[in-house]
Amino acid sequence: MSPESTSAWRRLRTHREHLSDVSIAELFAADPDRGPAMTVEHDGIVLDYSKNLLTARTVELLAEFAAERDLDSGLTALFAGDRINTSENRPALHTALRAPADDEIIVDGSDVVPAVHDVLARMGEFATRVRDGAWRGATGDAIRTVVNIGIGGSDLGPAMAYQALRHAAELDVRFVANVDGHDLAGVLRSLDPATTLFIVSSKTFTTTETLLNAHSARTWLQSALGDDAVSRHFVAVSTNTRAVTEFGITADNMFEFWDWVGGRYSIHSAIGLSLMLAIGPGRFREFLAGAHSMDRHFRTAPVLQNIPILLALLGIWYRNFWGAQTHAVLPYDQRLSRLPAYLQQLEMESNGKSVTRDGHGCAIPTAPVIWGEPGTNGQHAFFQLLHQGSVLVPCDFIGVLRPGHDLAGHHDVLMANLFAQTEALAFGRPQPDNGPAPAHRRFPGNRPSSTILLPSLTPYTLGQLIALYEHKVFTQGWLWGINSFDQWGVELGKVLAARITTEFGPDAGHAHDSSTNALIARYRKARSETAGQA
């Protein structure tokens, strides 16, 4: 049965019509305790969803929809390691990456938990050696800078988490992802080859962008330290031992992960090696523990008290019943500045689908466009549209109650702005206090938002936050009937790019559309002129 043919979906449509002329202000006026009543807490993480365009009945109907879509079976399949990635015939078992050592998760007749902890132990041993100076580079110098080379999930997760936890880092980490040579050149410019360690992160060790950056980094290193230096300055996170060793990295310096870990769900695997090097094995295990705490909550809490499920249902409410095409994520903590970009991949690559799990066209809208910036920067950039624009943009405001600095007054102003923005969006101001005003001075309000509060930003709470959004994404994908764990949409561009790259030579032909042919010809001309000037 498709989502829109369920009885709960039909009831939600009718219910939505009844709410057309109801405002958030009226809902608060009718229930003075609405704020606390629509606040859920788990292990220090707080979700206040009271400033949304809904009633208690709305949430009940959304929960009934989840039941009709058999969400319980989805959770069971996810945690059991069933092959819910149907197009690739794989489990999606990122939850196993943070499972305790005494858990048992059977995939194809084998318990995967011991292998997870074996890799984690190897990562810990390596990180300890690098951090305490036992691991030395080719010249005998200790490592002072780590460069993570990856792209997509091999970059966005570690880069976001490192930025968030940089205050706890004891080693400098840089990140290179873009195939644009300016990215790598800008990082290498300030580094000393003798004290630099590269982590090449690619599951297959065939990713074009990652390998081109890795080969260029290797050339840079060898030109300074000689060909034999590679084994002391490069390690890999991959599953392709042959390709890794052919590159010059010994098998002992390759850290494995598995095909049941999708790239955008891999931060808690060996893809997080750069983060472990920065914050240490102990704090990395706290990071895993926080994610596991959210896993337990997601698996066991009732729907109406389940933070990931509630966020997922809110997203479906706005996407499918209010026509919202975008969703803003607004972290009021500079350390979380990369979180919106991370969530763009997590949500849009996972649920940006128009085909169902059984291969039919999806008749309803799926993932919205995810975007955002940290507060208060965003207030001076795009909040005009949020408050007075002509589009509906549901927002997640994320705040941290206790800061990681001791600068007097800053955090009070930051948090006051967070709370003020959610209040202003919800209630607006039809008229200023001093009398009538022109229309451009009026704030209509009735703009929905949810507020997520963390007690502090630590490895543990960051792990919780990441897992929270992972499970939100899974829930929405399951309820929409799509596969959240493949990404075939990225393939065609790769194939065409590989073909076009071969057509840049002076004698190469090309047979594309007239636009692409002309663009290729223009680039070939500029390329030949540049070569002639060299």
Side-chain angles (χ1 to χ4, degrees):
M1 182 180 292
S2 60
E4 69 275 17
S5 63
T6 62
S7 60
W9 189 277
R10 293 192 294 271
R11 292 195 298 274
L12 280 163
R13 283 198 181 281
T14 301
H15 177 70
R16 160 68 178 88
E17 293 172 2
H18 293 159
L19 289 180
S20 295
D21 298 322
V22 177
S23 70
I24 295 173
E26 291 170 336
L27 295 172
F28 271 87
D31 180 6
D33 294 324
R34 178 179 169 88
M38 291 188 169
T39 296
V40 179
E41 183 172 357
H42 165 70
D43 195 13
I45 302 288
V46 174
L47 167 66
D48 178 348
Y49 64 96
S50 62
K51 295 187 180 78
N52 279 285
L53 289 160
L54 49 74
T55 65
R57 178 58 179 157
T58 314
V59 183
E60 291 172 0
L61 288 172
L62 288 166
E64 290 172 13
F65 170 64
E68 287 192 45
R69 296 293 291 163
D70 202 10
L71 179 59
D72 284 346
S73 291
L75 267 69
T76 298
L78 173 71
F79 283 95
D82 292 353
R83 296 178 182 274
I84 58 176
N85 180 350
T86 51
S87 72
E88 297 176 307
N89 194 32
R90 296 173 182 169
L93 207 48
H94 43 282
T95 55
L97 300 172
R98 52 258 191 167
D102 57 359
D103 271 13
E104 182 181 74
I105 303 172
I106 305 298
V107 176
D108 294 333
S110 299
D111 183 5
V112 302
V113 175
V116 168
H117 281 268
D118 284 348
V119 173
L120 185 61
R122 289 186 58 233
M123 290 168 60
E125 292 168 2
F126 175 73
T128 298
R129 292 181 64 204
V130 171
R131 286 164 57 85
D132 67 13
W135 176 282
R136 298 274 170 166
T139 62
D141 290 310
I143 299 298
R144 290 197 289 270
T145 305
V146 175
V147 178
N148 186 89
I149 301 176
I151 199 165
S154 299
D155 168 77
L156 283 166
M160 179 275 294
Y162 175 73
Q163 176 67 24
L165 301 175
R166 194 170 182 174
H167 60 281
E170 299 173 4
L171 201 61
D172 182 28
V173 182
R174 316 287 179 87
F175 294 87
V176 174
N178 201 332
V179 73
D180 182 347
H182 295 100
D183 193 11
L184 178 62
V187 167
L188 296 181
R189 189 174 297 121
S190 62
L191 298 185
D192 178 357
T195 60
T196 300
L197 174 72
F198 294 93
I199 303 173
V200 184
S201 296
S202 173
K203 181 184 291 188
T204 62
F205 223 75
T206 59
T207 308
T208 301
E209 298 94 334
T210 298
L211 287 190
L212 183 54
N213 280 324
H215 281 281
S216 295
R218 185 180 66 181
T219 299
W220 173 83
L221 180 83
Q222 289 173 325
S223 66
L225 303 181
D227 293 348
D228 295 337
V230 173
S231 64
R232 301 303 301 169
H233 292 268
F234 276 82
V235 299
V237 178
S238 182
T239 60
N240 190 341
T241 304
R242 179 178 176 181
V244 167
T245 55
E246 287 176 353
F247 181 88
I249 299 171
T250 65
D252 288 343
N253 294 332
M254 186 187 90
F255 299 89
E256 182 185 11
F257 63 119
W258 303 271
D259 66 4
W260 40 260
V261 181
R264 57 193 174 276
Y265 297 90
S266 64
I267 178 58
H268 295 102
S269 73
I271 291 294
L273 179 61
S274 58
L275 179 64
M276 181 186 279
L277 284 163
I279 66 174
R283 289 193 179 104
F284 190 83
R285 288 185 179 274
E286 293 172 13
F287 178 60
L288 301 180
H292 181 65
S293 168
M294 189 57 67
D295 293 343
R296 293 197 312 271
H297 171 70
F298 177 56
R299 191 173 187 177
T300 62
V303 169
L304 299 184
Q305 296 295 315
N306 194 305
I307 297 175
I309 294 177
L310 285 170
L311 280 183
L313 295 176
L314 286 168
I316 289 173
W317 175 236
Y318 291 118
R319 186 73 181 102
N320 297 120
F321 297 94
W322 290 84
Q325 296 188 350
T326 79
H327 186 100
V329 178
L330 310 168
Y332 272 63
D333 192 302
Q334 183 62 28
R335 296 170 294 179
L336 292 173
S337 60
R338 295 290 290 161
L339 182 65
Y342 171 76
L343 294 180
Q344 282 177 340
Q345 186 197 27
L346 179 64
E347 297 210 22
M348 294 165 68
E349 194 168 79
S350 294
N351 289 342
K353 313 286 173 62
S354 57
V355 177
T356 64
R357 287 192 296 270
D358 56 6
H360 295 97
C362 192
I364 58 175
T366 55
V369 174
I370 303 297
W371 60 285
E373 278 287 319
T376 57
N377 293 9
Q379 294 175 199
H380 295 266
F382 52 78
F383 272 49
Q384 168 65 43
L385 181 144
L386 298 182
H387 285 285
Q388 294 182 318
S390 59
V391 294
L392 177 73
V393 183
C395 303
D396 289 353
F397 285 80
I398 302 172
V400 178
L401 295 176
R402 292 187 293 274
H405 63 78
D406 57 2
L407 298 176
H410 283 255
H411 206 59
D412 286 352
V413 173
L414 178 71
M415 297 302 288
N417 273 272
L418 187 163
F419 301 144
Q421 290 297 326
T422 65
E423 183 179 21
L425 286 167
F427 302 106
R429 188 185 65 184
Q431 295 288 352
D433 296 336
N434 58 356
H440 63 268
R441 297 291 302 276
R442 298 171 191 159
F443 290 77
N446 222 34
R447 310 296 173 103
S449 70
S450 301
T451 301
I452 299 168
L453 297 177
L454 283 61
S456 56
L457 187 54
T458 65
Y460 188 88
T461 60
L462 182 65
Q464 288 178 298
L465 187 65
I466 291 171
L468 188 166
Y469 276 100
E470 287 178 347
H471 296 323
K472 171 203 165 180
V473 168
F474 166 76
T475 299
Q476 289 183 331
W478 184 270
L479 298 182
W480 281 322
I482 58 179
N483 180 2
S484 298
F485 302 105
D486 61 7
Q487 55 278 335
W488 295 105
V490 306
E491 295 301 319
L492 178 58
K494 292 180 180 179
V495 172
L496 292 175
R499 173 184 166 187
I500 290 172
T501 301
T502 68
E503 298 171 352
F504 288 153
D507 300 321
H510 47 274
H512 303 275
D513 61 273
S514 60
S515 168
T516 305
N517 286 337
L519 293 169
I520 292 172
R522 188 177 294 271
Y523 175 69
R524 287 174 63 178
K525 182 174 183 293
R527 187 171 180 264
S528 64
E529 291 172 349
T530 302
Q533 296 168 2

